[in-house]
């Protein structure tokens, strides 16, 4: 019998989002506080600790897909080494290693990441206009660096998707430029409704640009056809019969009933739900010398009690921000 882990609502978990750092070279307002406090270096899981936990998730709990996140994971100088080490888990059921990045540091490393065993990329891109992009990244980002990273990834043979978080009075005017650019480049694009998890506590329902509103912005410029729903969190639409755009509509159309994801922070906290107020500390068990059986039991207990998911109750108050949770 193959290993499996599920919650009390019958949702089987196949995917683990593995945060490698809470640090980032951008300061996007929907992700982190204005003055973030980084975790001490010694609090981060070591490469050996990361590998031990991930091996447990794959060997014993049936995780099949990893997504490496941050913060900005490309700030890790040992990223290629970590990917290569994680790749050894393919012999035990791991099927895919993905990476989420802001893309600004990607151009110089895309080919080495591919060689190390990376399967694909998600790149965050919230605006096409250079000045708007810089402003949205907290004054730290250059869109030319990101576009160069996307080109390098494609040249290296890494399948790439682009994600845009849409926030009212922030970047909804960039929806159409992004769609036109993505169509011209034949790059998969997904828009994400603003979720109540931002690092500055500014989320309100009024700031959410809903799926229907995104489609209303696109409809005068494209022929839009809804595509059959899949197991992915995004709902997909065909633009002009030849290009797909996805919308992740957590607020207007939650997909929590089929969620198959878990999240492990760079400091070893397991979050069974994106909206959990608290996680479960696995680092302490690791550093206390607990055996795999005991750690597995802790994980199973935490996941079994996973929440139903998003509840329209407003901003989620908790000690951790998205830059540390890993999205």
């Amino acid at each position: 019998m193959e290993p499996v882990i599920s919650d009390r609502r019958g949702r089987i978990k196949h995917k683990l989002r593995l945060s490698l750092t809470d640090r980032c070279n951008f300061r996007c307002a929907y992700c982190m506080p204005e003055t973030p406090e980084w975790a001490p270096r010694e609090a981060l899981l070591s490469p050996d600790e990361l590998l031990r936990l991930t091996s447990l998730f794959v060997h014993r709990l049936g995780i099949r897909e990893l997504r490496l996140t941050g913060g900005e994971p490309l700030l890790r100088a040992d990223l290629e080494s970590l990917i290569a080490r994680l790749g050894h888990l393919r012999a035990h059921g791991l099927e895919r290693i993905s990476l989420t990045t802001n893309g600004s540091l990607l151009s110089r490393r895309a080919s080495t990441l591919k060689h190390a065993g990376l399967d694909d990329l998600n790149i965050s891109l919230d605006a096409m206009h250079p000045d708007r992009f810089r402003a949205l990244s907290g004054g730290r980002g250059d869109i030319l660096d990101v576009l160069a990273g996307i080109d390098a990834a494609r040249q290296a043979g890494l399948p790439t998707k682009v994600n845009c978080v849409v926030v009212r009075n922030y970047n909804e005017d960039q929806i159409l430029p992004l769609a036109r650019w993505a169509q011209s480049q034949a790059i998969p694009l997904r828009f994400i409704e603003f979720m109540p998890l931002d690092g500055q506590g500014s989320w309100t329902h009024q700031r959410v640009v809903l799926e229907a509103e995104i489609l209303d912005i696109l409809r005068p410029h494209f022929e839009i056809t809804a595509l059959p729903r899949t197991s992915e969190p995004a709902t997909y639409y065909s633009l002009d019969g030849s290009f797909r755009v996805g919308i992740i509509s957590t607020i207007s159309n939650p997909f929590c009933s089929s969620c198959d994801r878990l999240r492990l922070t760079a400091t070893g906290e397991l979050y069974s739900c994106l909206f959990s107020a608290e996680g479960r500390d696995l680092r302490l068990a690791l550093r206390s010398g607990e055996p795999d059986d005991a750690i597995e039991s802790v994980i199973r207990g935490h996941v079994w009690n996973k929440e139903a998911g998003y509840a329209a109750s407003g901003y989620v108050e908790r000690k951790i921000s998205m830059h540390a949770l890993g999205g």
Side-chain angles (χ1 to χ4, degrees):
M1 177 180 288
E2 293 187 359
V4 68
I5 183 170
S6 66
D7 60 37
R8 57 184 171 179
R9 293 174 173 85
R11 297 171 293 188
I12 297 175
K13 313 306 172 188
H14 298 295
K15 301 173 184 176
L16 176 67
R17 299 181 70 99
L18 186 63
S19 180
L20 302 181
T21 179
D22 62 341
R23 288 165 170 78
C24 188
N25 54 334
F26 284 9
R27 296 291 184 272
C28 303
Y30 62 77
C31 185
M32 64 174 60
E34 290 184 10
T35 55
E37 296 183 7
W38 312 126
R41 297 280 183 183
E42 63 272 15
L44 302 181
L45 296 178
S46 70
D48 286 344
E49 290 171 333
L50 280 167
L51 189 65
R52 182 184 170 193
L53 278 179
T54 308
S55 178
L56 195 156
F57 275 102
V58 172
H59 278 253
R60 297 184 175 220
L61 302 172
I63 292 298
R64 296 292 174 258
E65 298 183 19
L66 295 178
R67 177 164 296 281
L68 308 179
T69 70
E72 175 45 57
L74 285 171
L75 292 177
R76 291 277 303 233
D78 62 348
L79 180 57
E80 288 85 352
S81 173
L82 284 171
I83 290 171
R85 294 183 70 184
L86 291 169
H88 293 298
L89 297 175
R90 295 183 193 272
H92 304 283
L94 183 64
E95 298 172 357
R96 180 180 172 194
I97 302 176
S98 305
L99 179 74
T100 293
T101 172
N102 63 36
S104 64
L105 305 173
L106 181 59
S107 61
R108 72 189 79 168
R109 298 175 72 176
S111 61
T112 58
L113 291 168
K114 173 68 174 177
H115 181 73
L118 186 68
D119 290 305
D120 57 75
L121 287 158
N122 281 358
I123 296 179
S124 300
L125 182 60
D126 295 328
M128 286 305 302
H129 190 280
D131 291 340
R132 290 297 306 286
F133 180 85
R134 179 172 291 278
L136 297 179
S137 66
R140 294 172 177 247
D142 187 333
I143 194 172
L144 294 180
D145 292 336
V146 179
L147 296 179
I150 292 171
D151 287 342
R154 300 178 82 186
Q155 292 173 16
L158 283 169
T160 301
K161 293 179 181 177
V162 167
N163 289 339
C164 171
V165 176
V166 185
V167 184
R168 195 178 308 282
N169 300 324
Y170 182 80
N171 67 335
E172 71 267 40
D173 62 331
Q174 296 298 298
I175 291 172
L176 181 58
L178 278 162
R180 284 177 166 160
W181 169 81
Q183 183 186 42
S184 72
Q185 300 296 313
I187 292 180
L189 171 65
R190 298 187 300 181
F191 294 108
I192 303 172
E193 292 180 351
F194 183 33
M195 291 180 280
L197 304 167
D198 62 291
Q200 300 181 20
S202 62
W203 184 92
T204 65
H205 280 283
Q206 290 71 34
R207 300 195 69 194
V208 180
V209 181
L210 300 173
E211 177 178 356
E213 296 177 271
I214 294 171
L215 293 173
D216 284 344
I217 291 171
L218 296 174
R219 192 168 283 112
H221 308 277
F222 302 96
E223 181 180 339
I224 299 178
T225 304
L227 299 174
R229 185 75 197 227
T230 69
S231 60
E232 291 190 44
T235 301
Y236 283 94
Y237 297 87
S238 170
L239 303 189
D240 294 341
S242 60
F243 177 67
R244 287 201 323 164
V245 163
I247 302 177
I248 299 178
S249 50
T250 306
I251 305 304
S252 63
N253 186 25
F255 53 89
C256 303
S257 62
S258 59
C259 180
D260 59 357
R261 293 162 177 77
L262 302 172
R263 291 166 172 82
L264 184 67
T265 74
T267 56
E269 283 189 286
L270 178 64
Y271 280 79
S272 59
C273 177
L274 182 62
F275 297 95
S276 295
E278 295 183 354
R280 185 63 184 266
D281 184 5
L282 301 183
R283 183 188 63 197
L284 179 61
L286 281 176
R287 296 183 180 178
S288 299
E290 295 287 343
D292 284 355
D293 287 346
I295 298 174
E296 177 186 354
S297 179
V298 170
I299 294 171
R300 287 190 180 276
H302 180 69
V303 174
W304 179 255
N305 291 305
K306 177 173 179 170
E307 299 93 326
Y310 172 70
S313 55
Y315 179 71
V316 178
E317 295 283 353
R318 60 185 180 186
K319 62 181 181 179
I320 192 170
S321 299
M322 288 292 285
H323 74 284
L325 181 61

